[in-house]
Structures are given as C-alpha cells and as structure tokens.
Amino acid sequence: MGIVYEQRNLTVDGAMTVLEGARRKASEMGVAVCLAVTDQSGTLLAFARMDGAPRLSIQLAQDKAYTVTAFGLPTSAWYPMLEKVPSLLHGIVKADRLMVFPGGVPVTLDGVPVGAVGVSGGTVEEDDEIATAGAAALVAA
Amino acid sequence: MGIVYEQRNLTVDGAMTVLEGARRKASEMGVAVCLAVTDQSGTLLAFARMDGAPRLSIQLAQDKAYTVTAFGLPTSAWYPMLEKVPSLLHGIVKADRLMVFPGGVPVTLDGVPVGAVGVSGGTVEEDDEIATAGAAALVAA
Amino acid sequence: MGIVYEQRNLTVDGAMTVLEGARRKASEMGVAVCLAVTDQSGTLLAFARMDGAPRLSIQLAQDKAYTVTAFGLPTSAWYPMLEKVPSLLHGIVKADRLMVFPGGVPVTLDGVPVGAVGVSGGTVEEDDEIATAGAAALVAA
Amino acid sequence: MGIVYEQRNLTVDGAMTVLEGARRKASEMGVAVCLAVTDQSGTLLAFARMDGAPRLSIQLAQDKAYTVTAFGLPTSAWYPMLEKVPSLLHGIVKADRLMVFPGGVPVTLDGVPVGAVGVSGGTVEEDDEIATAGAAALVAA
C-alpha cells in the first residue's frame, strides 16, 4: 500500500444526517435510546440521548459504534461467531469497549465504510433497527 | 536460588526479529493482524498493526504476550484447563490482561523462555500460526 | 465539506519507516528511548522500546503521538500556551493522554499531516530531536 | 547486544532480606510504614504493611519501587530534575505509577541493580532512610 493511503470518513454533517435518521425512527417506534455516530476511526462525531433513555446507554451506544469500526462488522455478527468457539466466547467479551450484541451498524457510502452508528436503550432488535435506519439515512441524503 | 538469579531476556533486536517473522507469515496468509513482542517480564518491546487490522486487537495482542510471560504457557493452553473447572472458567477470565484463547506463544532460545509474542486479528487458529512463526524466526536468526 | 471527506493516513510500512528513522537517530545520539508511531486518528501502528529505555516511557511515547494527532500540534507547543493561562496550566494537564512537553511531532507528507511520532526516555530536547528525525525519514523515503 | 541478554534479578529470599532490613529500621525509628520490594522489572516480590500504616501507602510504596526500576533512579532524584523544566514538572507527574518524591531506592549487588524497595507512611525523609536501610541489608547478607 506504500507509505500512505486515502481513507474516506464521515464529516459532522454526515454524522448529523445519520443521527437524525436514527432519531426519527426511534420516535416513530416510541423507543427512547442513546444514539452515537463515529467516523471510521471510531472517534465520536455526534451523540444524542433521547428523553428518558437509560444513562448506562450513553457509553454502550458509543462502544457499539466503536466496535463496528474496530472490526468492520455489525455488532450483531459477533455472537454467532463466538458461540462456535468457547474459548473466545468466555475470553474476549471483557475486551475494553467490545460489544457483542446488536445495535451497532456500519455507515457506508457507495459500499465503502465511512463510519458507524451505535444505539442502546431498547431491546437489541429495536436498537439494531434504529441503527440500520440511521445508516440508511446517509445513503438517502 | 540464593538472593539473586540470572534471567535471559529478549533485546529490541531480538524482538524485531520475532515481529518481522510473524509479519511475514501473516502477509503470506493474507491476514491483517496486530503483533506484539514482550520480554520475559511482559514489558512491551515491539509492536506493529498491519493495515486494516482491528483496532481492538492492539490491546489484545499485547495482553496475549503478557499472559504468556505471566504464566509461562501459550494462551491456547488455558481453555482446556478452564473448561474442567466451571468456577474458574467463569471467575478468572476477568483477571486483568488474562487472555484464555490462542494467539500468544512463548519465545524461547535453546529451550529457555526469553519473551513472548501475541497476535490478534485473525481467527484464533490463524493468530496462533502467525505467533508460532514469529517465535520460530528467533531460533532461525 | 459535504457528508464525507478524504483523509490521508500512514500505512504500517510508512510507520516502520518513521520508527526506524527515529531509532537510527537515537542510536547515533546514544539515547535509549521508547518510540511510538500512530496514524492520523491516533491509532498505534508501530512501537519499539530500545534496550534500557524507561518502562514508564512505553505509555508516554504513545500518549505523545496521540496528543499530536488529537490537536494537530507538536507537544512542544503546549507549555508556552499554558504558562500564560494559570487555570489551564493547572486544570487541563490531567486530561487523559494529554502530554504537554516535547517529544511528540506530526508526521507530514507534502505538508499534509498523516500521523505522528512520540518519543520518551531522554531529555525533552533529545526526545524532540529523535522524533523530528523520525518524521523526516518519511519525507526522505 | 545481540538478540538476548542476561539480567540479574532478586529472588524472593533476596526480597525478604530487603523487606526485613527495612522493617527493622522502621521499628527502631518508631514509624509505621508500608514496604514493597520488586525485582528489576518492577514486579512485586515482597510486601508488608506495618500495624497502623496508612492504607493509601499500600499502593504508594509499590509505585515508588516500580518507579525506581522503570527509570533506574531513586525517586528522590526526580524533583530536582523536574523543577528545572516547568513543562515536565506540570506534565509528567500524572504518569501512571510515577512517584517523584523520596522513599524509593534501587537495590544493588556488586554495583548492579537487581530490584528496588519502596517505602511510604512516614515523612519523605523517614521513608527514604528506611528504604536505604532495606537496600543495605542485601549487601550485608
């Protein structure tokens, strides 16, 4: 790859687009969640805690987005891998910021990952649906 | 043992030999990993994050090498011991820096441990194969 | 800036070029230091602890590089700013990973920052000179 | 230095000799302190908390010994260096485990460092005197 490469990354405007797309979805569903959007390096770009969302979710949402960028996978992909490798299942979950349940989703543009969105506060299915709606909002922008 | 003893330890040149041996193997296998080499006290001597390797693996690779020096065992030896003792399996995994899945391997010279190499980012089998190649590079040097 | 932008970043090969350039300089000067190279997001790419370098410098070198990418300034620029604002001098220094003394230097290519190098273990002047030599090695590559 | 080197290190018997030497001195002086002895890598080998010694000193004593091995200097050497470099004085004190006041002393044998002893709980002068007595006990053994 030579000594440098070009990485495409979300701007704050892009991040706000994702955040608002996810927040709209959460409002429609009637679920109060925390929403975090990071760039491709896992750095926080935008965050919102909806009224009544769990305070513990402030960190969980950020860690979900971080985990996505750290491995390039949605957080929902982790458990199906882990349950086949018991040593990993028992041994890796404690890793700092690693989130192995749904609610963290890559944000892509033209198929290229540019960041991630993490959602926490609803059921894991709700969190994942809201995060997915956030990622979709960027493509539609 | 008296009041002092002599301990053989990797130098930074030895550590770079291990690092490059492991990196060559990972490149051949087409796997992007983080690589960490420590001396016999678990102190970090050399590290590289290959392009595209998971960011969470930066710490995991270091913790795998640390665990090897802390117990004198490859990290792959842990789970087979733990699964026979459920209380230990559930209770010890949280111990700071303990890694109980493959990818951490002792670095020995003439059968004497002088340090460790930890690899993270591929499957546990890939990580272990890459770490083993790194350790072998020192013997071949 | 629209919703995404392009960021230029060091590869691991670029990082090793910086690391070796800094290590050569430190060897010439006869100073044992820890050397850390990060990409533009502050993510660790390459590290070496020269024989006899202080162990506390393992983290300090990484934090110096991180601080550079976090603010876009060499770490030597901090103290002259802080000493004019006592509240800041006493209050901001504890910020996680912030390093306010010399030894952290941006790595640039064609005037564009692509990462950072942090050095710790010598005097602050030595650390800064070694880091600067590392950054220069990339331009010469 | 090649790929490996030999490092001389305290055994637990050596560490207990240092610990008892320091404890005898503290008892003679009528000061209740915490005493920690590490090997040359900063790894804890022996510890005692004398009756009535401050609980916070449990960690401070260990950190003093650790700091000695991390830099190869008694902790009393730090402040005279720091006061001449304001950026360092303000910026480095927060470093994890760094202790910049007296009470940590190298343990040497035939002029070679083999570990360290850290003492906390008295005045800095008392702590340093007790630590020095501990180190001397090894030479006398």
Side-chain angles (χ1 to χ4, degrees):
Chain A
M1 289 179 74
I3 55 179
V4 292
Y5 71 105
E6 299 288 331
Q7 181 175 38
R8 186 169 290 179
N9 245 336
L10 274 181
T11 61
V12 68
D13 283 344
M16 292 304 278
T17 302
V18 174
L19 191 77
E20 288 304 331
R23 189 153 79 107
R24 249 189 330 269
K25 183 68 173 182
S27 294
E28 286 168 22
M29 294 167 64
V31 185
V33 293
C34 290
L35 307 143
V37 185
T38 69
D39 71 10
Q40 188 58 7
S41 76
T43 302
L44 187 64
L45 294 182
F47 174 86
R49 175 178 169 265
M50 292 171 68
D51 299 328
R55 270 192 301 280
L56 267 172
S57 292
I58 295 173
Q59 192 58 46
L60 295 176
Q62 295 180 53
D63 289 351
K64 285 182 182 180
Y66 179 82
T67 296
V68 170
T69 66
F71 282 94
L73 295 171
T75 59
S76 60
W78 273 88
Y79 196 74
M81 296 190 301
L82 294 180
E83 66 181 341
K84 294 175 197 147
V85 190
S87 67
L88 210 55
L89 176 59
H90 286 271
I92 204 173
V93 168
K94 69 169 182 177
D96 194 29
R97 307 199 70 184
L98 175 61
M99 293 279 109
V100 300
F101 48 93
V105 167
V107 174
T108 61
L109 200 64
D110 304 327
V112 179
V114 294
V117 51
V119 176
S120 176
T123 66
V124 290
E125 291 82 7
E126 288 168 340
D127 289 349
D128 219 50
E129 189 174 350
I130 294 165
T132 301
L138 190 79
V139 178
Chain B
M1 291 179 73
I3 55 177
V4 292
Y5 70 107
E6 299 289 330
Q7 179 176 40
R8 187 170 289 179
N9 245 334
L10 273 180
T11 62
V12 67
D13 284 343
M16 292 304 274
T17 302
V18 174
L19 190 78
E20 288 304 329
R23 188 151 82 106
R24 253 191 326 271
K25 183 68 173 184
S27 293
E28 286 169 23
M29 294 168 62
V31 184
V33 292
C34 291
L35 308 143
V37 185
T38 69
D39 70 11
Q40 188 60 7
S41 76
T43 302
L44 187 64
L45 295 183
F47 173 86
R49 174 179 172 263
M50 292 171 69
D51 300 324
R55 266 191 306 281
L56 271 171
S57 292
I58 295 172
Q59 193 58 47
L60 295 177
Q62 296 179 52
D63 289 351
K64 284 182 182 181
Y66 179 82
T67 297
V68 170
T69 66
F71 282 95
L73 294 171
T75 59
S76 61
W78 273 89
Y79 193 75
M81 297 190 300
L82 294 181
E83 66 182 341
K84 294 173 197 149
V85 191
S87 66
L88 208 55
L89 175 58
H90 289 271
I92 204 173
V93 167
K94 69 170 181 178
D96 195 29
R97 307 199 72 184
L98 176 62
M99 292 278 110
V100 299
F101 47 92
V105 167
V107 175
T108 61
L109 200 65
D110 305 326
V112 178
V114 295
V117 51
V119 175
S120 175
T123 65
V124 289
E125 290 83 8
E126 288 168 341
D127 290 350
D128 220 50
E129 188 174 350
I130 295 165
T132 301
L138 189 79
V139 178
Chain C
M1 289 178 75
I3 55 177
V4 293
Y5 71 106
E6 299 288 331
Q7 181 176 37
R8 187 170 289 178
N9 245 335
L10 274 180
T11 62
V12 67
D13 284 344
M16 293 303 275
T17 302
V18 173
L19 190 79
E20 288 304 329
R23 188 150 82 108
R24 254 191 323 272
K25 183 68 173 184
S27 294
E28 286 168 24
M29 294 166 64
V31 184
V33 292
C34 291
L35 308 143
V37 185
T38 69
D39 71 11
Q40 189 58 9
S41 75
T43 302
L44 187 64
L45 295 183
F47 173 86
R49 174 180 172 263
M50 292 171 67
D51 299 326
R55 266 190 306 281
L56 271 170
S57 292
I58 295 172
Q59 192 59 47
L60 295 177
Q62 296 179 53
D63 289 351
K64 284 182 182 181
Y66 179 83
T67 297
V68 170
T69 66
F71 282 95
L73 294 171
T75 59
S76 60
W78 273 88
Y79 193 75
M81 298 189 299
L82 294 181
E83 66 182 341
K84 295 173 196 150
V85 191
S87 66
L88 208 55
L89 175 59
H90 289 271
I92 204 173
V93 167
K94 68 168 181 179
D96 195 30
R97 307 200 70 184
L98 176 62
M99 292 277 110
V100 300
F101 48 92
V105 167
V107 174
T108 60
L109 200 65
D110 305 326
V112 178
V114 295
V117 52
V119 176
S120 175
T123 66
V124 289
E125 292 82 9
E126 289 168 340
D127 289 349
D128 221 49
E129 189 174 349
I130 295 164
T132 301
L138 189 79
V139 178
Chain D
M1 289 179 74
I3 54 178
V4 292
Y5 70 105
E6 299 288 332
Q7 180 175 38
R8 186 170 292 179
N9 246 336
L10 274 180
T11 61
V12 67
D13 282 345
M16 292 303 278
T17 302
V18 174
L19 190 77
E20 288 303 331
R23 187 151 81 107
R24 249 188 331 267
K25 184 67 173 183
S27 293
E28 287 168 21
M29 294 167 63
V31 184
V33 292
C34 290
L35 307 143
V37 184
T38 70
D39 71 11
Q40 187 58 7
S41 75
T43 302
L44 187 64
L45 293 182
F47 173 84
R49 176 179 170 264
M50 292 171 67
D51 300 327
R55 269 191 303 279
L56 267 172
S57 292
I58 295 173
Q59 191 59 45
L60 295 175
Q62 296 180 53
D63 289 351
K64 285 182 181 179
Y66 179 82
T67 297
V68 170
T69 66
F71 283 94
L73 294 171
T75 59
S76 60
W78 272 90
Y79 195 75
M81 296 189 302
L82 294 180
E83 66 181 341
K84 295 174 195 147
V85 191
S87 67
L88 209 57
L89 176 58
H90 287 270
I92 204 173
V93 169
K94 69 168 180 178
D96 194 30
R97 307 201 68 183
L98 176 61
M99 292 280 108
V100 300
F101 48 93
V105 167
V107 174
T108 62
L109 200 64
D110 304 327
V112 177
V114 294
V117 51
V119 176
S120 177
T123 65
V124 290
E125 292 82 9
E126 289 167 341
D127 289 349
D128 219 50
E129 189 175 350
I130 295 165
T132 302
L138 189 79
V139 178

